[in-house]
Amino acid sequence: MTSFAELNALPAEQLSNLNELGYLTMTPVQAAALPAILAGKDVRAQAKTGSGKTAAFGLGLLQRIDAKQFNTQSLVLCPTRELADQVANELRRLARYIPNIKILTLCGGVPFSIQRDSLNHAAHIIVATPGRLLDHLKRQTVNLDALQTLVLDEADRMLDMGFFDAIDEVIANAPAERQTLLFSATWPEAITAISQRIQHDPLTIEINSVDELPAVEQQFYEVSRNGKIDLLQKLLSRDQPASCVVFCNTKKDCQEVFDALNDSHQSVLALHGDMEQRDRDQTLVRFANGSSRVLVATDVASRGLDIKALEMVINYELSWDPEVHVHRIGRTARAGESGLAISLCAPGEAQRANVLEEMLNMKLNWLPVPTGLQITPLEATMATLCIDGGKKAKMRAGDILGALTGDVGLDGADIGKIVLHPMHAYVAVKQSVAASAWKKLQQGKIKGKTVKARLLK
Ligand code: ADP
Ligand code: MG
């Protein structure tokens, strides 16, 4: 079974919505999980990042929502705010055809008072991080008495982050009779134990990630540890990727690689676990909107992030864990598109390469280090304006677009993605016009108010 229609459970409006979204066939995890989920059964599923797990549980829980009842019927728990935002966005896309459905995210980093106000009318679906949800339960600003579906997304990561006590407390506030769905990219022992504790006779699904590997072209280069930065720069110059993530095993490497690329004027940003939430948000927005072509990241910082259309992944160092390698390279091949994954291996990483070869059951594609390559820095096409005042100030994308094409005098084609966060709006504009647009914008007004904006550098 491959088409959504064959499920015989989704309404025609949803089928045409899926068609508009370009979801023409089910991904393997969707095909395996949806029949049981739609039948109301508990499911635990392991499938790699990018395999479409969100729609697998999303289509299920949306089918059970009665939008006329103003209570919370579904709860999705996620490890981080970025992941919760991504899940909520995907659910909104999947729910486009349901009138008056309310989907709310509850995560740290947003003032409690704002969230309390938006809870005056209960949301049908809440997407939350465990800690913040627990705060709301304690203050009785959220009530789970009518909960039908509970989803734990990225369960392995929530486990790593020590969220399971909080999750137990959340569950103590939920009805015993409910559907519980558990999704994870990896499946450590401890997750089985949790599943046994909180699920009822679950269907277990395991989608072997190795099967899907061939869509990614892999290149391996042997290079001394000291020669890696130079080779990295040359390969970036050779391939000119529009977007590339460079994975490092440590924060220290992450910083060093970032500094080196930045010093040679490459368009680059870094993402690692020590950053403030706000800097992380900004980095992700800027990378996704084309203001930076290279993102240097650690695994922890980047896991589960849905960065669309990544052309290239570079492993600055092989991971010790073949699973992690598979996750890294899988990011260039979202939903069937092909990508290129390059690994730079120092002689000391030979053992890791052997393990990888064995686990992937394929011959690693070792290539000679190319000679005669020049370094030509990658330049981004866009730059990001950060405007004070976001969703909370009731700012809309149309207001910003209006100001930029009106007073500021930009052409529509000069303007890229507009993303609204609670306190800020991020607008991508062409590099060539960014500085002048920024100046003019500050002399103008949006919704009758003077504008405070920064050009992110
Ligand atoms: P996961 O949670 O498994 O990491 P996501 O749910 O974030 O993966 O999905 C990855 C990407 O695949 C998203 O961009 C999503 O829009 C897309 N996607 C999901 N299901 C389908 C489908 N059936 N057809 C095409 N694209 C899909
Ligand atoms: Mg996911």
Side-chain angles (χ1 to χ4, degrees):
M1 184 161 54
T2 56
S3 83
F4 288 101
E6 283 170 83
L7 291 166
N8 277 327
L10 301 177
E13 295 90 334
Q14 180 62 289
L15 292 176
S16 64
N17 180 40
L18 289 168
N19 220 13
E20 280 163 28
L21 291 173
Y23 293 13
L24 305 179
T25 55
M26 293 190 275
T27 66
V29 69
Q30 291 162 2
L34 273 168
I37 293 179
L38 289 165
K41 272 184 71 66
D42 282 5
V43 170
R44 57 185 199 198
Q46 176 195 3
K48 67 165 184 169
T49 300
S51 56
K53 296 190 286 296
T54 320
F57 62 75
L59 289 171
L61 65 83
L62 285 172
Q63 261 350 84
R64 300 183 74 172
I65 298 283
D66 178 355
K68 295 192 186 72
Q69 302 290 321
F70 295 98
N71 48 25
T72 300
Q73 298 161 41
S74 287
L75 169 64
V76 183
L77 293 175
C78 300
T80 65
R81 185 172 134 200
E82 289 101 340
L83 290 167
D85 284 337
Q86 276 175 23
V87 167
N89 285 337
E90 174 84 348
L91 291 180
R92 286 193 185 102
R93 279 152 37 97
L94 295 171
R96 285 197 298 206
Y97 73 99
I98 306 174
N100 301 323
I101 192 161
K102 187 168 166 194
I103 302 173
L104 182 72
T105 52
L106 294 177
C107 303
V110 176
F112 200 85
S113 54
I114 297 179
Q115 295 182 343
R116 196 181 45 220
D117 292 347
S118 44
L119 281 163
N120 282 339
H121 303 284
H124 298 110
I125 303 172
I126 293 180
V127 184
T129 50
R132 180 51 71 101
L133 183 75
L134 207 55
D135 288 345
H136 279 284
L137 285 169
K138 283 182 180 146
R139 301 190 202 192
Q140 299 186 330
T141 40
V142 166
N143 179 311
L144 298 180
D145 290 349
L147 193 76
Q148 294 182 326
T149 312
L150 170 68
V151 182
L152 306 191
D153 193 21
E154 306 255 355
D156 53 350
R157 223 177 131 199
M158 291 204 278
L159 189 73
D160 280 351
M161 294 172 77
F163 277 149
F164 269 86
D165 288 341
I167 289 173
D168 275 340
E169 279 191 67
V170 170
I171 288 177
N173 285 273
E177 187 133 334
R178 57 163 201 270
Q179 182 180 35
T180 307
L181 307 173
L182 212 153
F183 284 80
S184 201
T186 65
W187 207 262
E189 286 282 308
I191 300 230
T192 310
I194 288 155
S195 158
Q196 278 164 356
R197 209 166 67 232
I198 67 174
Q199 292 193 292
H200 174 69
D201 187 23
L203 172 74
T204 303
I205 290 167
E206 201 181 317
I207 304 292
N208 192 349
S209 47
V210 177
D211 283 346
E212 296 169 44
L213 271 180
V216 185
E217 181 191 344
Q218 293 204 63
Q219 300 178 352
F220 289 77
Y221 296 99
E222 185 176 325
V223 55
S224 71
R225 175 124 190 119
N226 292 335
K228 280 190 179 186
I229 297 250
D230 183 60
L231 180 57
L232 171 69
Q233 304 235 45
K234 287 179 175 158
L235 291 172
L236 286 171
S237 303
R238 179 192 73 182
D239 292 335
Q240 297 280 315
S243 59
C244 173
V245 173
V246 179
F247 285 104
C248 295
N249 287 3
T250 64
K251 271 179 267 186
K252 185 165 166 286
D253 276 355
C254 190
Q255 191 63 48
E256 278 173 20
V257 172
F258 169 80
D259 288 342
L261 295 185
N262 197 36
D263 287 348
S264 54
H265 309 287
Q266 301 273 12
S267 157
V268 65
L269 291 168
L271 189 71
H272 56 72
D274 280 353
M275 291 164 66
E276 297 280 337
Q277 184 73 44
R278 188 173 146 190
D279 294 334
R280 292 166 55 87
D281 285 350
Q282 284 193 359
T283 299
L284 289 167
V285 168
R286 291 167 69 194
F287 184 62
N289 75 14
S291 298
S292 172
R293 289 171 66 172
V294 180
L295 182 70
V296 187
T298 57
D299 295 296
V300 179
S302 69
R303 258 252 343 253
L305 296 173
D306 181 22
I307 302 165
K308 287 229 164 62
L310 206 54
E311 276 188 19
M312 193 194 247
V313 157
I314 299 182
N315 296 309
Y316 183 71
E317 182 182 351
L318 283 185
S319 168
W320 289 98
D321 180 354
E323 282 283 347
V324 172
H325 181 84
V326 171
H327 287 149
R328 288 178 176 180
I329 69 172
R331 298 174 155 280
T332 69
R334 288 294 161 94
E337 279 177 42
S338 65
L340 174 62
I342 294 180
S343 298
L344 309 183
C345 311
E349 295 162 56
Q351 178 59 20
R352 286 178 241 175
N354 292 340
V355 172
L356 204 56
E357 190 148 37
E358 210 164 293
M359 185 219 153
L360 301 186
N361 198 18
M362 65 183 265
K363 234 173 150 28
L364 300 189
N365 178 28
W366 291 100
L367 296 175
V369 171
T371 52
L373 290 177
Q374 302 291 319
I375 297 180
T376 34
L378 298 181
E379 281 174 38
T381 48
M382 309 300 278
T384 302
L385 293 168
C386 171
I387 302 175
D388 279 0
K391 280 188 205 157
K392 198 200 158 197
K394 303 253 191 297
M395 182 103 82
R396 285 170 311 176
D399 302 325
I400 296 169
L401 201 59
L404 289 175
T405 52
D407 291 350
V408 175
L410 288 189
D411 200 76
D414 293 332
I415 304 165
K417 273 195 194 165
I418 300 180
V419 178
L420 290 160
H421 283 200
M423 313 300 280
H424 298 95
Y426 298 97
V427 188
V429 291
K430 287 253 169 73
Q431 279 276 5
S432 49
V433 297
S436 66
W438 174 48
K439 284 210 193 84
K440 284 198 203 134
L441 184 62
Q442 285 174 308
Q443 290 151 13
K445 290 191 167 171
I446 299 181
K447 298 189 89 176
K449 292 211 183 93
T450 45
V451 183
K452 275 198 197 140
R454 285 172 304 137
L455 185 56
L456 299 181
K457 286 248 165 72

